[in-house]
Amino acid sequence: MTRRPIITLLSDFGLHDAYVGMMKGVILGRCPEARLVDLTHDIPAQQVASAAYVLGSAWRYFSPNTVHLAVVDPGVGTDRRVLVARCDHHWFVGPDNGLFSEVFTDVPPDLLIAVQSTDLFCKPISRTFHGRDIFAPLAAALGRQIDPQQLGTPIDDPVMLPIAPPAAKPDGALHGRVIHVDHFGNLITTIRATQMPFRPIIRIGDRAIHGLVSNYGSVDSGTLVALIGSSGRLEISVSHGSAARQLDAGIDDAVSVEPGSLD
Amino acid sequence: MTRRPIITLLSDFGLHDAYVGMMKGVILGRCPEARLVDLTHDIPAQQVASAAYVLGSAWRYFSPNTVHLAVVDPGVGTDRRVLVARCDHHWFVGPDNGLFSEVFTDVPPDLLIAVQSTDLFCKPISRTFHGRDIFAPLAAALGRQIDPQQLGTPIDDPVMLPIAPPAAKPDGALHGRVIHVDHFGNLITTIRATQMPFRPIIRIGDRAIHGLVSNYGSVDSGTLVALIGSSGRLEISVSHGSAARQLDAGIDDAVSVEPGSLD
Amino acid sequence: MTRRPIITLLSDFGLHDAYVGMMKGVILGRCPEARLVDLTHDIPAQQVASAAYVLGSAWRYFSPNTVHLAVVDPGVGTDRRVLVARCDHHWFVGPDNGLFSEVFTDVPPDLLIAVQSTDLFCKPISRTFHGRDIFAPLAAALGRQIDPQQLGTPIDDPVMLPIAPPAAKPDGALHGRVIHVDHFGNLITTIRATQMPFRPIIRIGDRAIHGLVSNYGSVDSGTLVALIGSSGRLEISVSHGSAARQLDAGIDDAVSVEPGSLD
């Protein structure tokens, strides 16, 4: 058992206010031994899909028993469910709105609870800041190894985002999309390394990229390249530059991959 | 007594430099068991009033004995006093320039010390970075439960910002102001939930909002609404958007509230 | 010996993604007692010189045995060396590309290892994120007090940036440059306090500043001033404003200092 639980935090709250700090105050008041790690609080406001990707790419780098608190919650104050889940010995807590789609697709949860008890919540429960009043107390409780089955009832229908897996089309190409634009302007796609054909030709907008490079540093600055990024997905990058800016591209833009000729 | 004290940090230093990191290095060198929590370092440069609001909204979510280090310090290097205060078993340390106005208005301090001893300070004391050289060492000392009365002399006249409480005018309306614009563009006002009339009409600029909603998610995207936010104050918001941008509004803009008609 | 080692992190990864969070997950998985402190992750992308300055200004404010993990790594995936160094009882780990130039200039390292063993690395080692797969595991190992000499071979030729020290020219002036622009728009220069003449005249662009002030608060708002900043270097500032914006100045701009007349 972990005596000093790790609790990660991911949100769209930004760092301009004390919203994240307040959540941490609530957690440390209820689980004083917690070690808090920010994943990011710079998810674009209410972009659940972007949050789902970032969380899905990060959680496995933490130890078993880590609690992952995620709050991107456009439905705060409505009747969307409050979710606690366990996947591969990691805990997840947040609104049931698809935030955990990538995690659940990779590793089906072995426990899913819709929280109904309000006993642990901060009172009065605000209508607009469930991160502080509901999710932070639940994360702290999971850090203290409370049994979540006492908090609510098992469910088997968590909300899943309709994240289209890359599709093979009659033209022989695999069609995917940009799902995240990172700090460097790299365009991260839905296409995974395992799906890449031999000598691929990658198309985005009116540009075609022939083949993959192995890293950003092996080509001239400003060159548009494709590579398998650190999350195991096809990324489109500009060496020492920003692909998002050079291509004026962003989330949801179409990307396709086709096998190159063999001669 | 807390063996692992929590020390919160709030400043206008941003995260572009290592200024905050240096403060943390100093604190951990002198109070190795401290748990450090950032409230925010994104206070607009030298905006003491904005910092006072953010700190005032956040401190109560931490446990008793927490030390709150706040450094927004346009007078650094001048003869403004160095303040240590205790309110409701929380400690506060920072420049005596009004930073703690909201805290002291909510809970009058039961101990106020103007620090005179320089024994604990980092030497040489820079003229421009008292956060590192003066306030961080004091926060660490409070974390180690030093008696602050040995650091200076009691005072009873801390600088208080002239934060005008909302005023009822002869027209029957309550007149307040925007005191903070948050990450989402919500306009947070000086008007508290307890002051709101029945069926209020809220006016800002040339717009009038009839009534309050209970949360952001209950109206169509882009709708201008008013609600009681998570800090217990009247907020003006745009559902899934930014009220600051839609109204081109910001800090100090006038907001009024009047009772609506009963029919 | 430190039982709860401090590990600082500096990078150009930004806070928009979970890159920093993943590094922390790896570190805490391997060195659960580590206390993690961010220096900054807002180094301009791939600007090794800026990172070298920020790290050089900050590391001494931490306790002995602190591990400083720095990843600004335009050569990730190429054959640039992986460096572990010890200076004055502090540990440094990062790519061998000049990141530690300021540290090594101030305090020559007493141990320099080019890491060759891949035993500790996260597998598979990505081509693009050595911060997570190589440097974070090494920082964790140093936090656990592993002997770095078992990781590789001693070297004595770390890459050093050609950071030109300020030069005295035939015109009698000292010629330096801006090496960092901080959050407030202060222009921090290569010229150190110890090099300043009596009654200096500071020139930047077509502006001349006569003499130094001792702090930002002692002149009218908007005044262009020069002072010795908290890192012991000549800074050019605008009181309650931004020198970078007022002068449209930035990194690498020339700054000169000459002795003023005595009458």
Side-chain angles (χ1 to χ4, degrees):
Chain A
M1 288 309 206
T2 308
R3 288 174 309 127
R4 302 201 53 224
I6 297 171
I7 299 177
T8 77
L9 298 96
L10 176 147
S11 77
D12 63 351
F13 296 159
L15 297 176
H16 178 63
D17 309 287
Y19 297 140
V20 174
M22 284 188 253
M23 289 201 295
K24 292 178 178 176
V26 169
I27 293 171
L28 289 175
R30 291 153 178 252
C31 184
E33 294 305 308
R35 288 170 294 172
L36 304 174
V37 178
D38 296 308
L39 292 185
T40 181
H41 299 287
D42 195 35
I43 298 295
Q46 298 151 352
Q47 293 298 311
V48 176
S50 179
Y53 165 72
V54 171
L55 181 61
S57 70
W59 69 280
R60 280 181 168 287
Y61 291 94
F62 288 83
S63 305
N65 293 313
T66 295
V67 178
H68 302 282
L69 167 60
V71 192
V72 177
D73 194 13
V76 61
T78 67
D79 60 358
R80 60 95 187 87
R81 296 182 296 193
V82 169
L83 198 65
V84 166
R86 185 178 60 201
C87 295
D88 205 9
H89 306 285
H90 286 244
W91 292 100
F92 298 87
V93 58
D96 181 27
N97 62 12
L99 259 180
F100 306 113
S101 296
E102 295 268 347
V103 176
F104 295 169
T105 298
D106 285 349
V107 180
D110 55 57
L111 185 67
L112 270 173
I113 301 288
V115 176
Q116 281 148 340
S117 166
T118 63
D119 290 353
L120 296 173
F121 300 171
C122 295
K123 313 286 169 34
I125 304 167
S126 70
R127 301 287 188 139
T128 57
F129 192 7
H130 287 186
R132 179 189 69 196
D133 298 337
I134 292 180
F135 300 113
L138 289 172
L142 292 170
R144 290 196 320 272
Q145 303 177 34
I146 198 173
D147 177 359
Q149 303 194 68
Q150 69 187 74
L151 300 174
T153 51
I155 61 168
D156 59 7
D157 60 345
V159 172
M160 296 291 282
L161 297 178
I163 298 172
K169 294 281 176 62
D171 61 8
L174 192 67
H175 291 256
R177 296 202 166 272
V178 174
I179 52 166
H180 185 69
V181 180
D182 81 2
H183 172 72
F184 298 98
N186 297 316
L187 305 169
I188 298 159
T189 75
T190 50
I191 300 170
R192 292 173 189 263
T194 50
Q195 300 175 301
M196 294 297 292
F198 186 65
R199 291 192 182 172
I201 298 171
I202 298 98
R203 299 187 190 276
I204 179 167
D206 58 359
R207 301 289 294 268
I209 304 166
H210 291 260
L212 300 176
V213 298
S214 66
N215 58 62
Y216 307 119
S218 55
V219 293
D220 290 341
S221 284
T223 307
L224 182 70
V225 297
L227 73 169
I228 301 303
S230 61
S231 64
R233 290 167 188 264
L234 176 66
E235 286 184 26
I236 295 167
S237 302
V238 165
S239 179
H240 298 184
S242 164
R245 214 158 39 226
Q246 186 180 114
L247 301 178
D248 193 21
I251 286 179
D252 268 346
D253 283 4
V255 176
S256 71
V257 176
E258 64 201 71
S261 79
L262 292 178
D263 48 42
Chain B
M1 288 307 206
T2 309
R3 288 175 308 129
R4 301 201 54 224
I6 298 171
I7 299 178
T8 78
L9 299 96
L10 175 148
S11 77
D12 62 351
F13 295 159
L15 298 176
H16 179 62
D17 309 287
Y19 296 141
V20 173
M22 285 188 252
M23 290 201 295
K24 292 178 177 176
V26 169
I27 293 171
L28 290 174
R30 291 153 178 252
C31 184
E33 294 305 307
R35 288 171 293 172
L36 304 175
V37 178
D38 296 308
L39 292 185
T40 181
H41 299 287
D42 195 34
I43 299 295
Q46 297 150 352
Q47 293 297 311
V48 176
S50 178
Y53 164 73
V54 172
L55 182 60
S57 70
W59 70 279
R60 281 180 168 289
Y61 290 93
F62 288 83
S63 305
N65 292 313
T66 296
V67 178
H68 302 282
L69 168 59
V71 191
V72 176
D73 193 13
V76 61
T78 67
D79 60 358
R80 60 94 187 87
R81 295 182 297 193
V82 169
L83 198 67
V84 166
R86 187 178 59 201
C87 295
D88 205 8
H89 306 285
H90 286 244
W91 292 101
F92 297 87
V93 58
D96 180 27
N97 62 11
L99 260 180
F100 306 113
S101 296
E102 295 268 348
V103 176
F104 295 169
T105 298
D106 285 350
V107 180
D110 55 56
L111 183 68
L112 270 173
I113 300 287
V115 176
Q116 282 148 340
S117 167
T118 63
D119 290 353
L120 296 173
F121 300 171
C122 294
K123 314 286 169 34
I125 304 167
S126 71
R127 302 287 188 140
T128 57
F129 192 7
H130 287 186
R132 180 189 68 195
D133 298 337
I134 291 180
F135 299 114
L138 290 172
L142 293 169
R144 290 196 320 271
Q145 303 177 37
I146 198 173
D147 177 359
Q149 303 195 69
Q150 69 188 73
L151 300 175
T153 52
I155 62 168
D156 59 7
D157 60 343
V159 173
M160 295 292 281
L161 296 178
I163 299 172
K169 293 282 176 62
D171 60 7
L174 192 66
H175 290 258
R177 297 201 165 272
V178 173
I179 51 165
H180 185 69
V181 179
D182 81 3
H183 172 73
F184 299 97
N186 297 316
L187 306 169
I188 298 158
T189 75
T190 50
I191 300 169
R192 291 173 189 265
T194 50
Q195 299 175 302
M196 293 297 292
F198 186 65
R199 291 193 181 169
I201 299 172
I202 298 98
R203 298 188 191 276
I204 178 167
D206 58 359
R207 301 289 293 268
I209 305 165
H210 292 258
L212 300 175
V213 297
S214 66
N215 59 61
Y216 307 119
S218 55
V219 292
D220 290 340
S221 284
T223 308
L224 183 70
V225 297
L227 73 169
I228 300 302
S230 62
S231 64
R233 291 167 188 264
L234 176 67
E235 286 184 25
I236 296 168
S237 302
V238 165
S239 180
H240 298 184
S242 165
R245 212 157 41 225
Q246 185 179 116
L247 300 179
D248 192 21
I251 286 179
D252 267 347
D253 282 6
V255 176
S256 72
V257 177
E258 64 203 72
S261 78
L262 293 178
D263 49 42
Chain C
M1 288 308 207
T2 309
R3 286 175 311 129
R4 301 201 53 226
I6 299 171
I7 299 179
T8 77
L9 299 95
L10 175 148
S11 78
D12 62 350
F13 295 159
L15 298 175
H16 179 62
D17 310 286
Y19 296 140
V20 173
M22 284 188 252
M23 289 202 294
K24 292 177 178 177
V26 170
I27 293 172
L28 290 174
R30 292 155 179 250
C31 184
E33 294 305 308
R35 289 170 293 172
L36 304 175
V37 178
D38 296 308
L39 292 185
T40 181
H41 299 288
D42 194 33
I43 298 294
Q46 298 149 352
Q47 293 296 312
V48 176
S50 178
Y53 164 73
V54 171
L55 181 61
S57 70
W59 70 280
R60 281 182 168 287
Y61 290 94
F62 288 83
S63 305
N65 293 314
T66 295
V67 178
H68 302 282
L69 168 60
V71 192
V72 177
D73 193 13
V76 61
T78 67
D79 60 357
R80 60 95 186 86
R81 295 183 295 194
V82 170
L83 199 65
V84 167
R86 186 178 61 201
C87 295
D88 205 8
H89 306 285
H90 287 244
W91 291 101
F92 298 86
V93 58
D96 180 28
N97 63 11
L99 260 180
F100 306 113
S101 296
E102 295 267 347
V103 176
F104 295 169
T105 299
D106 284 351
V107 180
D110 55 57
L111 185 67
L112 271 174
I113 301 288
V115 175
Q116 281 148 338
S117 167
T118 63
D119 290 353
L120 297 172
F121 301 171
C122 294
K123 312 286 167 35
I125 304 168
S126 71
R127 301 286 189 140
T128 57
F129 192 6
H130 288 185
R132 180 189 69 196
D133 298 336
I134 292 180
F135 299 114
L138 289 173
L142 292 169
R144 290 197 320 271
Q145 304 178 34
I146 197 173
D147 177 358
Q149 304 195 66
Q150 68 188 76
L151 301 174
T153 51
I155 62 168
D156 58 7
D157 60 343
V159 172
M160 296 290 282
L161 297 177
I163 299 172
K169 293 283 176 63
D171 61 7
L174 193 66
H175 290 257
R177 296 200 166 273
V178 173
I179 52 167
H180 186 68
V181 179
D182 79 4
H183 172 73
F184 298 98
N186 297 316
L187 305 169
I188 297 160
T189 75
T190 50
I191 300 170
R192 292 173 188 265
T194 51
Q195 300 175 300
M196 294 296 292
F198 186 64
R199 292 191 180 170
I201 299 172
I202 297 98
R203 297 186 192 278
I204 179 168
D206 58 359
R207 301 290 293 267
I209 304 165
H210 291 259
L212 300 175
V213 298
S214 65
N215 58 62
Y216 307 118
S218 55
V219 293
D220 291 341
S221 284
T223 307
L224 183 70
V225 297
L227 73 169
I228 301 303
S230 62
S231 63
R233 291 167 187 264
L234 176 67
E235 286 184 26
I236 296 168
S237 301
V238 164
S239 180
H240 299 184
S242 164
R245 215 159 37 229
Q246 186 179 113
L247 301 179
D248 192 21
I251 287 180
D252 267 347
D253 283 5
V255 177
S256 72
V257 177
E258 62 202 72
S261 78
L262 293 178
D263 48 43

